[in-house]
Amino acid sequence: NPSIPAPAEVNRVIREVLADTDSLAVHGYTSAAGDPELRQAIAEDLNRRYDAAVKPENLFIGCGAAAELVAVFRALAVENAEILAIAPYFPEYKPFAEEAGAAFQVVPPDVPGFQINFPALEEMLTPNTAAVIINSPNNPSGVVYSRPTLEKLGHLLKQKAAAFGHPIYIVSDEPYRELAYGVEVPFLPRIYPDTIVCYSYSKSLSLPGERIGYIYVPEAAADSSS
């Protein structure tokens, strides 16, 4: 739960919307993918910050990162699929992946630095590997994966995907992206196109109760149009 209040703009805009917008529009359904104006605004924000070439149609608005992860795991859980997490990891990844029908495997931690244990990861990658979950800044360690670490990860997964004959996705769980100070948090799709981003505004705007976030599937990702 937040230890600081949401920005004043959040409460102000909510009041304005409730006062000035048609009640049916406020409380009615949007399209399944989310309100077009919202998707456009998020795309513009990501492009401004990361020069990421995001289009609104690359975004799917979700009920926070947990629901988004469940949806992504279900999409990736083909027969015999395995999803790998880097220890230490958020414990709910395991039931999310297993409920979706995938086997859940844990890559031992890289201690004491808590980057990625690449020898262990390489050994665990198999033809059944569908995805590797990345959480940076990390819960619970607080570590930010460095650009060299992520570039090495992308190179390894690209090699293995070519050898196995199918894409291996990075699922990037990013509720803490803005909670980093004096250190770069690389935008993973710029490093590895087969990245699916699950983002939540719960931490960056102190809004965990609102359950607002998005899934970003880059246009360059394999099978993105599917």
Side-chain angles (χ1 to χ4, degrees):
N1 273 313
S3 58
I4 58 174
E9 290 86 346
V10 171
N11 290 342
R12 176 181 59 79
V13 170
I14 289 174
R15 291 190 189 99
E16 289 177 359
V17 169
L18 290 174
D20 302 335
T21 307
D22 176 71
S23 180
L24 294 177
V26 169
H27 300 293
Y29 286 123
T30 64
S31 68
D35 181 76
E37 185 178 357
L38 173 60
R39 295 160 73 197
Q40 179 66 45
I42 293 171
E44 291 175 359
D45 175 61
L46 292 174
N47 291 335
R48 181 173 59 252
R49 289 194 287 158
Y50 304 113
D51 190 24
V54 179
K55 298 179 180 179
E57 52 266 33
N58 303 142
L59 296 162
F60 191 100
I61 307 305
C63 297
E68 294 154 14
L69 289 166
V70 168
V72 169
F73 292 164
R74 286 179 177 175
L76 297 179
V78 297
E79 187 176 1
N80 297 320
E82 297 176 350
I83 294 176
L84 276 58
I86 312 293
Y89 64 91
F90 181 54
E92 290 183 20
Y93 293 159
K94 178 179 171 63
F96 291 169
E98 292 180 342
E99 180 64 24
F104 183 77
Q105 308 288 345
V106 179
V107 180
D110 171 50
V111 291
F114 291 110
Q115 290 290 305
I116 294 177
N117 184 338
F118 280 104
L121 172 61
E122 184 168 8
E123 186 174 329
M124 293 179 68
L125 293 170
T126 75
N128 291 329
T129 303
V132 176
I133 309 168
I134 294 296
N135 176 221
S136 177
N138 181 262
N139 176 7
S141 75
V143 163
V144 175
Y145 292 139
S146 69
R147 180 171 291 273
T149 290
L150 296 175
E151 289 175 345
K152 186 174 181 179
L153 174 62
H155 180 70
L156 173 62
L157 296 185
K158 184 177 180 179
Q159 282 186 323
K160 292 295 185 179
F164 299 151
H166 65 79
I168 300 175
Y169 295 93
I170 291 177
V171 178
S172 186
D173 178 26
E174 301 190 358
Y176 308 102
R177 185 197 295 151
E178 282 76 27
L179 275 67
Y181 309 93
V183 60
E184 179 193 19
V185 181
F187 190 60
L188 252 171
R190 293 294 308 272
I191 295 173
Y192 187 70
D194 287 343
T195 295
I196 301 172
V197 174
C198 295
Y199 184 83
S200 170
Y201 291 97
S202 63
K203 307 303 187 295
S204 60
L205 294 179
S206 290
L207 297 175
E210 275 75 3
R211 310 304 301 158
I212 302 171
Y214 60 82
I215 298 170
Y216 168 48
V217 181
E219 200 162 280
D223 301 318
S224 63
S225 62
S226 302

